[in-house]
């Protein structure tokens, strides 16, 4: 892709995200979401492989439907209450439709079917953008409307997301699909605490973005998209494989790594809100996703396969990994000791 | 309006005896299930089957049996899911370098494949399959006839093919083969010197992709000895509806639906292919990613 085209698409992505986040009218929010959708489509379909084009088509169809539903919910709210302000979404039907629209945008169950396929069809860097940057606008809309949303619906979707994200990720051999299911699980954790403490949702989002970016950039350096390729990546970048282990366990939410922080605070808040049973259920369901994170870590670091790689892409690149991988890995592993400070910043 | 509908219904029902009526000939193309008007059916194509809704058999017992079979299939699938990727432990997935996909030892194995030839378009080739000597191989044999069917629109003819039936899971869901761990197709065959084409069909989600096929050639020797042919997946080129495309890319092996063999080498005469087994190999010495170079079109000046 020419640099000019890449620049246009990247700027459009940033523009769309900024427009949605900073808007207070539903139409500008919707415009930002549409700009984002359209800008990322060429990035997904860059290689013109039929699977990439299929992924781009699926992405476009689901996101367009979700944007339509979003606009519809805004219109029904405006019809009943006369308000176009995002924070003034009060009509219950509009709130329900908005929740389902945002769930479709994010990939929460039961609107998650597109997500693994789209991530599988996209190249690794675009998959990173899909998992991180594209979560910002819908999350910001959820945060702005969080007081009016139905907690039961959100809790149901969240619990099912954590469950299905764990179960469906169990037998995957393609890493991008595994990371898609990990994303679904984390979105479940973000959604469950939204009605009670939106700040924790935001904290979870930031830490998830840090950890996922670290993982994706590491995988991009290793050019590993399948488990079998990941197993032989240690020959080319042994230190990176070692840090990938820690980043994976951080994504799984194991103490004393950073990923434990959002889970701990969410469980604490849920217990305070008399939802101890839900908290127990989601903690137990997270064990499923721990299984596939451990499997990834096992393949990358813990075992040494009896053969070397015949995946030539791993030997093509001689340039060193860029600095951002180091910074993101450190932040995704070592932030737990300063957790009191982080809770006050968010 | 209702009268017009009743008239149409009546006309279609009595289609056979109302040929002379001017009204019927005027409305002919509109009456799709009328017996007096039928679209051109190629000789060799099957006559129009009953529509699927006419086939419904309201039998409670059959439906219970069907449900029981599907539930048992679902139970099997869940058990395989708990084992690991592809129904085996991860250890096996990571360490395996060979896998046998199809081997021909019984009639059941033969039933997993579908034979077709140009009889569908009105040609005269013949193709049959049976178990070889001592039930040790499948024997695909027949005669290729390149005589073009005289229907005014076909230009070429003469092909026979054998294609695996797509895997179907419980409740008729599509199941895919995941061959991403391997990089070579391994076939133990005994041919008669004729070249065959090996075709891989990957899952088309959208209908514009339904004609996409990845193919390569298998050149057989005629000898009495068995041959072990290795075809790396990097050699497969991409074609759509028989036309090789300009934009080439390697085949993605994580969602393969069927494998097929076709003979169409424009030579009249008998052909014979014995296949012992079809398997996969992870050839660690094969490092080629893709055999065909693609050049940028419209390079900047």
């Amino acid at each position: 892709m020419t640099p000019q085209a890449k620049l246009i698409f990247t700027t459009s992505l940033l523009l769309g995200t900024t427009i949605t986040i900073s808007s207070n009218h539903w139409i500008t929010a919707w415009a930002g979401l549409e700009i984002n959708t359209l800008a990322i489509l060429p990035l997904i379909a860059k290689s013109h492989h039929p699977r990439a084009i299929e992924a781009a088509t699926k992405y476009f169809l689901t996101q367009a439907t979700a944007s339509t539903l979003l606009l519809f919910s805004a219109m029904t709210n405006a019809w009943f209450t006369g308000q176009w302000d995002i924070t003034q979404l009060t009509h219950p039907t509009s709130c329900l439709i908005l929740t389902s629209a945002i769930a479709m945008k994010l990939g929460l169950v039961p609107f998650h079917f597109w997500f693994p396929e789209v991530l599988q069809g996209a190249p690794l860097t675009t998959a990173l953008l899909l998992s991180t940057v594209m979560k910002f606008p819908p999350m910001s809309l959820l945060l702005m409307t969080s007081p009016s949303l139905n907690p039961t619906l959100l809790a149901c979707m969240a619990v099912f997301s954590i469950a299905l994200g764990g179960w469906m990720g169990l037998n995957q051999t393609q890493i991008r699909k595994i990371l898609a299911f990990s994303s679904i699980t984390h979105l479940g954790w973000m959604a469950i605490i939204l009605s009670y403490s939106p700040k924790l949702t935001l904290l979870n989002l930031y830490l998830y973005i840090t950890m996922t970016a670290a993982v994706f950039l590491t995988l991009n350096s290793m050019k590993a998209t399948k488990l079998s390729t990941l197993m032989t990546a240690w020959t080319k970048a042994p230190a990176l494989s070692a840090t990938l282990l820690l980043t994976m366990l951080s994504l799984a939410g194991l103490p004393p790594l950073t990923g434990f922080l959002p889970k701990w605070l969410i469980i604490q808040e849920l217990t305070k809100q008399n939802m101890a049973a839900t908290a127990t259920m989601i903690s137990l369901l997270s064990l499923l996703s721990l299984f596939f994170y451990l499997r990834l870590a096992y393949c990358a670091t813990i075992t040494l396969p009896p053969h070397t790689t015949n995946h030539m892409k791993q030997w093509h690149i001689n340039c060193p990994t860029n600095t951002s991988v180091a910074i993101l890995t450190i932040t995704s592993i070592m932030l737990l000791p300063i957790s009191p400070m982080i809770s006050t910043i968010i | 309006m209702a009268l017009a509908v009743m008239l149409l219904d009546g006309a279609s029902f009595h289609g056979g005896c109302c040929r002379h009526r001017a009204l019927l000939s005027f409305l002919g193309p509109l009456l799709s299930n009328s017996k007096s008007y039928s679209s051109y059916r190629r000789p060799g194509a099957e006559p129009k089957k009953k529509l699927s809704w006419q086939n419904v058999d309201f039998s409670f017992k059959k439906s219970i049996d069907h449900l029981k079979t599907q539930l048992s299939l679902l139970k099997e699938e869940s058990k395989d899911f708990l084992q690991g990727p592809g129904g085996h432990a991860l250890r096996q997935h990571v360490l395996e370098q060979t896998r046998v996909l199809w081997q021909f030892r019984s009639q059941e194995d033969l039933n997993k494949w579908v034979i077709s030839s140009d009889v569908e378009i009105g040609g005269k080739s013949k193709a049959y399959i049976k178990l070889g000597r001592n039930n040790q191989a499948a024997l695909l044999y027949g005669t290729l006839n390149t005589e073009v069917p005289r229907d005014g629109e076909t230009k070429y003819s003469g092909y026979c093919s054998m294609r695996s039936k797509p895997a179907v899971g419980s409740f008729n869901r599509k199941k895919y083969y995941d061959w991403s761990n391997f990089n070579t197709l391994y076939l133990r065959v005994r041919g008669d010197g004729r070249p065959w084409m090996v075709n891989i069909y990957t899952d088309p989600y959208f209908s514009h992709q339904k004609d996409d096929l990845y193919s390569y050639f298998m050149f057989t020797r005629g000898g009495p000895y068995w041959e072990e042919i290795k075809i790396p997946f990097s050699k497969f080129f991409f074609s759509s509806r028989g036309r090789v495309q300009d934009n080439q890319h390697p085949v993605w092996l994580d969602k393969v639906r069927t494998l097929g063999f076709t003979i169409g080498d424009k030579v009249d005469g008998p052909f014979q292919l014995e296949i012992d087994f079809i398997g996969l190999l992870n050839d660690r010495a094969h490092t080629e990613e893709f055999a065909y170079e693609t050049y940028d079109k419209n390079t900047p000046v």
Side-chain angles (χ1 to χ4, degrees), chain B residues 245-273:
Chain B
Q245 301 297 304
D246 287 332
N247 291 330
Q248 287 292 332
H249 49 261
V251 51
W252 278 28
L253 295 157
D254 57 341
K255 269 190 176 176
V256 174
R257 282 221 87 196
T258 71
L259 183 73
F261 298 94
T262 309
I263 183 162
D265 53 354
K266 304 185 203 169
V267 173
D268 284 326
F271 66 86
Q272 192 171 297
L273 182 73

Side-chain angles (χ1 to χ4, degrees), chain A residues 96 99 148-160 191-192 195-196 275 278:
Chain A
L96 284 176
T99 317
S148 344
L149 297 175
N150 187 351
T152 323
L153 176 64
L154 277 171
C156 281
M157 284 204 293
V159 170
F160 280 120
I192 202 156
S195 316
Y196 308 109
M275 291 174 69
T278 318

Side-chain angles (χ1 to χ4, degrees), chain A residues 221-295:
Chain A
S221 316
M222 295 174 176
K223 291 283 177 279
T225 49
K226 302 186 293 217
L227 279 184
S228 41
T229 327
L230 191 62
M231 290 208 78
T232 53
W234 64 275
T235 52
K236 184 73 174 160
L240 217 51
S241 306
T243 50
L244 185 63
L245 162 74
L246 291 170
T247 324
M248 281 290 163
L249 293 179
S250 179
L251 261 178
L254 286 182
L257 305 167
T258 313
F260 178 59
L261 177 63
K263 291 195 163 63
W264 165 28
L265 294 174
I266 287 174
I267 292 175
Q268 188 176 0
E269 185 62 38
L270 283 175
T271 324
K272 282 186 201 166
Q273 299 284 344
N274 265 341
M275 291 174 69
T278 318
T280 320
M281 200 162 30
I282 57 177
S283 318
L284 288 173
L285 289 170
S286 294
L287 289 173
L288 292 166
S289 51
L290 172 66
F291 182 75
F292 62 72
Y293 289 126
L294 266 178
R295 177 177 272 175

Side-chain angles (χ1 to χ4, degrees), chain A residues 49 51 117 120 171 173 231, chain B residues 81 84 94 178 252 254-255:
Chain A
H49 191 283
R51 290 286 292 280
E117 309 286 321
Q120 175 65 13
N171 263 339
T173 53
M231 290 208 78
Chain B
F81 188 78
V94 157
D178 179 14
W252 278 28
D254 57 341
K255 269 190 176 176

Side-chain angles (χ1 to χ4, degrees), chain B residues 31-246:
Chain B
L31 304 174
S32 57
N33 55 352
S34 157
K35 290 195 194 89
S36 61
Y37 294 96
S38 56
S39 54
Y40 171 64
R41 184 175 65 84
R42 286 173 179 277
E46 288 165 12
K48 264 200 186 139
K49 291 187 204 156
K50 273 165 60 169
L51 299 163
S52 55
W53 52 264
Q54 290 170 328
N55 269 339
V56 167
D57 177 20
F58 286 107
S59 158
F60 193 64
K61 188 173 181 308
K62 268 193 196 165
S63 54
I64 296 283
D65 288 336
H66 186 71
L67 187 65
K68 277 190 193 159
T69 353
Q70 299 302 319
L71 285 173
S72 61
L73 274 174
L74 188 63
K75 199 171 85 165
E76 286 298 317
E77 273 178 30
S78 320
K79 273 194 209 156
D80 285 342
F81 188 78
L82 291 171
Q83 294 269 340
H88 313 288
L90 179 72
R91 185 175 53 242
Q92 184 173 338
H93 170 84
V94 157
L95 291 175
E96 71 180 340
Q97 302 205 52
T98 57
R99 189 197 290 178
V100 173
L101 293 170
W102 291 283
Q103 58 178 4
F104 300 96
R105 300 283 181 267
S106 66
Q107 187 58 37
E108 260 177 37
D109 297 325
L110 286 186
N111 290 341
K112 292 183 192 160
W113 292 76
V114 175
I115 310 295
S116 59
S117 65
D118 61 6
V119 169
E120 301 161 340
I121 56 165
K124 297 197 173 114
S125 311
K126 297 189 188 57
Y128 310 99
I129 191 167
K130 66 176 188 192
L131 278 172
R133 223 182 282 172
N134 286 333
N135 289 358
Q136 285 300 309
L139 177 63
L140 175 64
Y141 65 100
T143 321
L144 210 66
N145 190 334
T146 53
E147 193 185 318
V148 175
R150 296 176 64 166
D151 56 3
E153 55 179 12
T154 316
K155 282 194 213 149
Y156 309 102
S157 180
Y159 65 86
C160 297
S161 82
M162 174 168 129
R163 196 172 164 185
S164 70
K165 286 188 183 156
V168 168
S170 58
F171 297 102
N172 286 349
R173 287 176 299 162
K174 285 196 243 183
K175 253 192 352 191
Y176 312 106
Y177 298 113
D178 179 14
W179 297 347
S180 52
N181 223 3
F182 303 95
N183 63 4
T184 315
L185 194 62
Y186 191 96
L187 306 144
R188 185 163 193 262
V189 299
R190 187 160 58 180
D192 57 350
R194 295 185 80 152
W196 288 76
M197 211 158 129
V198 183
N199 306 314
I200 296 179
Y201 186 62
T202 53
D203 168 56
Y205 189 85
F206 294 109
S207 58
H208 68 265
Q209 295 168 339
K210 71 178 177 343
D211 301 314
D212 292 352
L213 205 59
Y214 296 88
S215 330
Y216 198 62
F217 308 103
M218 178 172 78
F219 297 99
T220 53
R221 290 185 188 170
Y225 302 110
W226 284 90
E227 248 189 303
E228 273 139 18
I229 301 180
K230 290 195 285 198
I231 309 176
F233 288 121
S234 60
K235 301 276 189 214
F236 280 79
F237 59 86
F238 175 57
S239 64
S240 174
R241 219 174 162 78
R243 291 176 167 79
V244 180
Q245 301 297 304
D246 287 332

